[in-house]
Amino acid sequence: MKRYIYVLCVVLSSMLLYTSCLGSNDSTEITVYDDMAITGFSLATVNRYLHTTTKNGKDSIYKKVMTVRPTFTIDQTQYKIYNTDSLPKDCDLKHVLVSISSSAYSGAIFIKSVVGDTLYTYNSTDSIDFTHVREIRVFNNTLQKYRSYEVKVNQHQVETNKILWEEASSEDYPVSDSRQEWEKKAADAGLGDFIGTGRQEAYAFSKDRTKIMVSKDEGTTWTPDSIDGDLSLLPKGTFAFVSYPFAPNENTDYQILAGEPEDGEIACWVWRKIAEYSEGSMVSKWVNIPLEPYNRFFLPVSQNFSLVHFHGYVLAIDPTGIHYSRDGGITWLTSDNFKLPEDDAFNVEAVTDADGVLWFKDLDTDEVWRGVLVE
């Protein structure tokens, strides 16, 4: 019985296959689509070669994958692809991995050779040289037609992480009227030199420089601020102060006070305070950053200097140059990228404005420079 059922199944299958063949013809229709367009373009991997100074003072170069990538515009009218925010100069554009997507009915994507007419099939794992303008072609699904796009990856032509200076007029230099007002408030309260302000607190020295006084009510009252450290290490002479938002915590300022110690010392004494303003926060204290014997990267004593917060750096600017700190005032380094606009200024001042632009002024000549950091 099983044998007959098996034979019957074979016969039925053959009949169905024969019927199917009779109903077919040799002119199978193929749908052709001319809808071909690049719909997405982004940089997948770009390497940067960055310059740094090691702890022993030696220069070195290290490779780092670029994490923040620019947005690319796809102009479907002129068939151009480009980025408006230029990449840093230290990016390696000769070996770039890109991600390209096309419309649903497009065919293959090809990269045209820089020299000649050779076409290379796009592969997301193959690096492409974008030091030149490149032509990318997207074909239809029969590879009979294509659309060509011009791709340009814009890059800064000047060195990145470097301060670029341009001369400005003295009228452009930002002057803080509030500092003069605070200096008057401190003087009226019988205090010594006014230090500076954070977002919710103001500071001044006591008359004898043995205390840091704080006001939390716009200068109406002043009280001794909390200090954890040797009060004798408070600045004796010239000093500078900077306050800026502390990124890890909201409603918090990171503040640095640096100044001239007793005669004969070559390194400034540096204090810091993490001023927390949120309700329920612990009492913030001034803490002296100890100068360890092995730390050769200290802030040198200067008779005239300014502290500013600039693109994540704290800069100490005096007539001899610029020292910068990336660790909150513990170590101070110099770099060829951070140079003064002139070498013969002896009485200087520096500030940053609300837009993060650095301003430098020669107080003897009233010459002013505007500094920007190319990132």
Side-chain angles (χ1 to χ4, degrees):
M1 185 69 181
K2 291 182 179 179
R3 179 182 175 188
Y4 292 117
I5 293 174
Y6 173 77
V7 172
L8 179 61
C9 289
V10 170
V11 171
L12 290 173
S13 299
S14 300
M15 292 176 64
L16 289 171
L17 179 60
Y18 181 73
T19 303
S20 176
C21 291
L22 289 176
S24 65
N25 56 59
D26 295 333
S27 58
T28 303
E29 289 189 10
I30 299 175
T31 304
V32 178
Y33 295 99
D34 287 336
D35 178 19
M36 46 198 171
I38 291 178
T39 56
F41 184 95
S42 62
L43 304 181
T45 303
V46 182
N47 291 320
R48 298 183 65 182
Y49 291 88
L50 305 175
H51 173 273
T52 187
T53 304
T54 62
K55 291 184 177 181
N56 58 10
K58 294 184 178 180
D59 292 335
S60 65
I61 301 293
Y62 67 96
K63 183 173 74 172
K64 179 181 179 182
V65 176
M66 186 177 180
T67 54
V68 180
R69 303 178 186 91
T71 300
F72 279 79
T73 298
I74 302 177
D75 185 338
Q76 300 290 6
T77 302
Q78 301 185 59
Y79 305 117
K80 293 184 177 182
I81 301 174
Y82 57 90
N83 55 311
T84 54
D85 294 331
S86 297
L87 273 66
K89 187 182 179 183
D90 51 35
C91 287
D92 177 15
L93 293 193
K94 199 170 184 64
H95 310 90
V96 180
L97 296 181
V98 297
S99 176
I100 306 175
S101 57
S102 60
S103 56
Y105 299 112
S106 296
I109 299 173
F110 290 87
I111 314 294
K112 186 175 179 291
S113 174
V114 176
V115 181
D117 296 325
T118 305
L119 297 178
Y120 300 95
T121 304
Y122 160 69
N123 189 322
S124 62
T125 61
D126 292 339
S127 65
I128 302 173
D129 180 0
F130 279 107
T131 57
H132 308 274
V133 175
R134 300 304 300 267
E135 180 183 337
I136 296 180
R137 296 180 182 180
V138 55
F139 282 75
N140 65 356
N141 60 344
T142 63
L143 299 182
Q144 298 300 311
K145 297 181 180 179
Y146 68 87
R147 179 164 291 156
S148 176
Y149 289 81
E150 177 186 283
V151 182
K152 183 178 182 182
V153 179
N154 292 309
Q155 183 180 34
H156 286 296
Q157 298 306 305
V158 294
E159 189 174 357
T160 55
N161 293 321
K162 181 175 184 176
I163 299 177
L164 298 181
W165 296 97
E166 62 178 2
E167 289 194 60
S169 67
S170 58
E171 290 78 14
D172 295 329
Y173 187 77
V175 178
S176 174
D177 295 331
S178 63
R179 182 171 183 85
Q180 297 177 355
E181 296 173 1
W182 275 109
E183 289 175 344
K184 185 177 185 305
K185 290 178 181 180
D188 292 344
L191 302 178
D193 292 316
F194 174 68
I195 297 174
T197 61
R199 282 180 288 179
Q200 296 188 27
E201 296 180 350
Y203 309 99
F205 286 114
S206 60
K207 201 73 173 177
D208 57 3
R209 287 271 183 115
T210 60
K211 299 182 183 69
I212 296 177
M213 309 296 290
V214 60
S215 177
K216 302 179 182 181
D217 55 8
E218 295 296 319
T220 303
T221 59
W222 297 81
T223 57
D225 206 0
S226 300
I227 297 180
D228 184 6
D230 187 352
L231 296 178
S232 66
L233 298 180
L234 290 176
K236 298 292 188 292
T238 303
F239 66 90
F241 168 86
V242 65
S243 176
Y244 54 92
F246 187 45
N249 297 327
E250 293 184 348
N251 299 318
T252 304
D253 285 340
Y254 193 97
Q255 301 168 334
I256 297 178
L257 170 65
E260 184 183 5
E262 297 183 3
D263 293 341
E265 299 287 343
I266 61 173
C268 283
W269 289 333
V270 181
W271 293 76
R272 67 113 171 114
K273 178 181 180 180
I274 300 176
E276 299 185 70
Y277 307 126
S278 299
E279 185 176 353
S281 298
M282 296 180 62
V283 176
S284 304
K285 297 182 179 181
W286 287 97
V287 177
N288 178 249
I289 297 177
L291 184 61
E292 304 293 348
Y294 58 80
N295 182 8
R296 297 187 293 110
F297 304 105
F298 54 81
L299 181 60
V301 169
S302 175
Q303 299 298 317
N304 171 25
F305 72 104
S306 303
L307 289 179
V308 296
H309 183 248
F310 185 62
H311 290 263
Y313 299 89
V314 176
L315 306 183
I317 301 176
D318 67 20
T320 66
I322 299 176
H323 287 77
Y324 70 89
S325 176
R326 293 298 301 268
D327 54 14
I330 299 173
T331 57
W332 299 84
L333 304 172
T334 59
S335 170
D336 289 338
N337 288 349
F338 291 177
K339 293 292 187 181
L340 295 179
E342 61 174 17
D343 298 327
D344 56 354
F346 300 100
N347 187 17
V348 302
E349 180 182 76
V351 297
T352 53
D353 61 22
D355 296 323
V357 176
L358 178 62
W359 294 85
F360 176 87
K361 186 175 185 179
D362 185 332
L363 298 177
D364 292 329
T365 63
D366 276 343
E367 291 181 297
V368 172
W369 287 265
R370 178 180 180 273
V372 296
L373 186 68
V374 179
E375 295 184 292

